[in-house]
Amino acid sequence: MSDGNQRTNGRPPVRLLTFTTLYPNAEQPHHGVFVENRLRHLLASGRAVSRVVAPVPWFPMSSARFGSYAIHARVPRTEERHGIAIDHPRYGLPPKIGMVPAPLLLYWGARRAVERLRRSGYDFDVIDAHYFYPDGVAAALLAREFRKPLVITARGTDISLIPRYAAPRRMIQWAAGQASAMITVCAALKTALGELGVPPERITVLRNGVDLQIFHPIDPVQARAGLGEAPAGLLLASVGHLIERKGHHHVIGALPRLPAARLVIAGTGPERPALEGLAARLGVADRVRFLGHVPHEELAQLYSAADALVLASSREGWANVLLEAMACGTPVVASNIWGTPEVVAVPEAGCLMPELSATGVAHAVGDLLRAPPDRRDTRLYAERFSWEETTAGQFSIFDRLRQI
């Protein structure tokens, strides 16, 4: 467990309080896994330790008939993942109250857990918060109360969507003013924060990396056999929560224009019945497989089996699935939004859609397959995106802040 007893070069490690609602737990092992991955690579350096406070909404009933609310009730109050101790304090979030009270409710729910950590002897140097709203705003309140420096990472819709609403926008601007430093996972989000009045010199772009050991090429024929897919023929993959903004409907909608293609979709979510209905109406249901939940560590097989990963999202900061697929040698077709052009930046990576629609998907898939990159070149491109640069960038910030 990360307890702060290590030393590096005679200097104690940076003691972090990682604060976010986007963190995996025993009931939702892939919820916010991108936050966990970045933290794990940071801690692997031996130069930092962390305790995680990852609040979950309070709900009194754990019966499955209450759906997603019951999942929150079943999350343990404390747990350990990969040697990292995690607290899951509860915070009130009554349905249909809107997003405006959420930061204050989150702060109230978390502050006792943070105080308990300090009383137990874990007096952290820096609060490392992920997602600007409501998490970053609540973290700013905690930083002010406990008089600690604060780093907030912007990850996507927290800056690309939420600031459209007046009250959250003002709170995001306030939290940005309280933060000692800010990180964005792509340059496009840095630009958007600048448009909110945040000085660019206070923002550092640190893109997500990819685990090149977990995501590696597997022989496509072997990978297809493992999925129960035929060894020949065009196979597309779409990976992500089954929600509207992930755009799976665009990929299904492209299939009538791609008569040779089969599609496998990995993910769970409320849109599955609608997506199944769409496939039936378009007459392509026999060419679409819904795999449901696929464990993160098993996605390499899916990526390796596919001729292309298609990501038709309407909003993304830095989509991890793109680099994961590329690390398996699989090129991507992606919507031209936010940080995605920063990932799909060369022909070896894949191509961007001319428009976000079923027609756009079909055109981009056709363009890619007319001149597909060598899968070895796609893997080599992904190898540029290891975690080392991101880890070094974080330490540059944390070391400076603990000296203030």
Side-chain angles (χ1 to χ4, degrees), residues 2 10 25 137 159 163 173 187 196 205 215 235 263 268 275 292 304 311:
S2 300
N25 58 62
V137 179
I159 297 302
Q173 291 168 324
L196 292 175
V205 178
F215 297 100
L235 184 66
L263 172 65
T268 60
L275 294 171
S304 296
L311 180 68

Side-chain angles (χ1 to χ4, degrees), residues 127 139-148 174 178:
I127 298 178
L141 292 168
L142 292 169
R144 186 175 65 173
E145 176 172 347
F146 294 105
R147 298 183 180 181
K148 298 292 184 179
W174 174 81
Q178 298 293 307

Side-chain angles (χ1 to χ4, degrees), residues 63-77:
S63 170
R65 73 175 184 267
F66 292 104
S68 61
Y69 293 106
I71 292 175
H72 300 316
R74 295 195 296 269
V75 173
R77 296 283 175 159

Side-chain angles (χ1 to χ4, degrees), residues 311-316 333-337 340-341 351-353 356:
L311 180 68
S313 294
S314 58
R315 294 187 300 275
E316 291 285 353
V333 168
S335 44
N336 190 355
I337 55 164
T340 300
C351 63
L352 299 171
M353 301 170 195
L356 181 53

Side-chain angles (χ1 to χ4, degrees), residues 215-344:
F215 297 100
H216 59 88
I218 300 171
D219 176 73
V221 174
Q222 177 188 339
R224 288 191 182 200
L227 287 177
E229 288 289 333
L234 173 59
L235 184 66
L236 304 176
S238 185
V239 175
H241 295 306
L242 304 188
I243 54 178
E244 192 276 336
R245 72 176 177 87
K246 289 295 182 181
H248 299 287
H249 57 289
H250 294 309
V251 191
I252 294 172
L255 292 181
R257 300 171 177 84
L258 300 167
R262 303 191 309 280
L263 172 65
V264 287
I265 299 176
T268 60
E271 287 292 302
R272 178 163 178 167
L275 294 171
E276 290 175 331
L278 174 62
R281 289 195 304 276
L282 295 176
V284 298
D286 61 334
R287 292 195 279 137
V288 180
R289 280 183 67 197
F290 291 87
L291 302 180
H293 169 69
V294 176
H296 194 242
E297 60 276 8
E298 295 178 16
L299 284 172
Q301 181 182 60
L302 173 58
Y303 295 135
S304 296
D307 293 288
L309 171 78
V310 184
L311 180 68
S313 294
S314 58
R315 294 187 300 275
E316 291 285 353
W318 181 277
N320 299 303
V321 294
L322 297 175
L323 282 179
E324 291 170 359
M326 294 176 203
C328 296
T330 303
V332 305
V333 168
S335 44
N336 190 355
I337 55 164
W338 290 94
T340 300
E342 300 171 40
V343 189
V344 189

Side-chain angles (χ1 to χ4, degrees), residues 57-60 66 68-70 72 91-102 105:
W58 177 84
F59 191 73
F66 292 104
S68 61
Y69 293 106
H72 300 316
Y91 67 102
L93 193 65
K96 300 181 181 179
I97 66 166
M99 65 172 67
V100 175
L105 294 171

Side-chain angles (χ1 to χ4, degrees), residues 214 362 372:
I214 293 177

Side-chain angles (χ1 to χ4, degrees), residues 5-215:
N5 293 324
Q6 302 162 279
R7 283 181 176 265
T8 305
N9 296 326
R11 222 182 147 196
V14 180
R15 295 160 65 92
L16 300 174
L17 175 71
T18 301
F19 181 82
T20 181
T21 59
L22 294 176
Y23 204 86
N25 58 62
E27 292 295 319
Q28 300 165 296
H30 301 294
H31 175 65
V33 70
F34 42 86
V35 176
E36 181 183 59
N37 286 341
R38 193 176 91 174
L39 179 60
R40 288 179 65 192
H41 282 86
L42 184 82
L43 300 185
S45 70
R47 293 177 54 196
V49 295
S50 183
R51 292 290 299 266
V52 176
V53 174
V56 297
W58 177 84
F59 191 73
M61 306 292 183
S62 60
S63 170
R65 73 175 184 267
F66 292 104
S68 61
Y69 293 106
I71 292 175
H72 300 316
R74 295 195 296 269
V75 173
R77 296 283 175 159
T78 62
E79 61 179 321
E80 184 176 318
R81 287 175 56 90
H82 306 291
I84 304 169
I86 308 158
D87 288 286
H88 296 294
R90 270 37 179 188
Y91 67 102
L93 193 65
K96 300 181 181 179
I97 66 166
M99 65 172 67
V100 175
L104 191 57
L105 294 171
L106 184 55
Y107 160 72
W108 282 338
R111 60 187 299 274
R112 289 183 181 176
V114 175
E115 180 57 43
R116 280 196 300 271
L117 280 178
R118 294 188 72 207
R119 286 201 306 267
S120 72
Y122 189 79
D123 190 13
F124 49 91
D125 301 307
V126 181
I127 298 178
D128 179 30
H130 295 255
Y131 208 69
F132 241 98
Y133 192 93
D135 307 43
V137 179
L141 292 168
L142 292 169
R144 186 175 65 173
E145 176 172 347
F146 294 105
R147 298 183 180 181
K148 298 292 184 179
L150 167 67
V151 178
I152 305 176
T153 295
R155 293 191 161 274
T157 53
D158 51 342
I159 297 302
S160 68
L161 176 65
I162 291 174
R164 297 178 188 177
Y165 304 96
R169 181 174 63 251
R170 288 193 296 270
M171 284 187 270
I172 288 170
Q173 291 168 324
W174 174 81
Q178 298 293 307
S180 306
M182 284 153 282
I183 296 170
T184 62
V185 296
C186 64
L189 288 172
K190 178 175 180 176
T191 299
L193 264 179
E195 292 169 353
L196 292 175
V198 181
E201 63 271 15
R202 299 186 60 228
I203 308 167
T204 302
V205 178
L206 295 176
R207 46 81 180 155
N208 286 339
V210 61
D211 191 317
L212 296 169
Q213 278 68 54
I214 293 177
F215 297 100

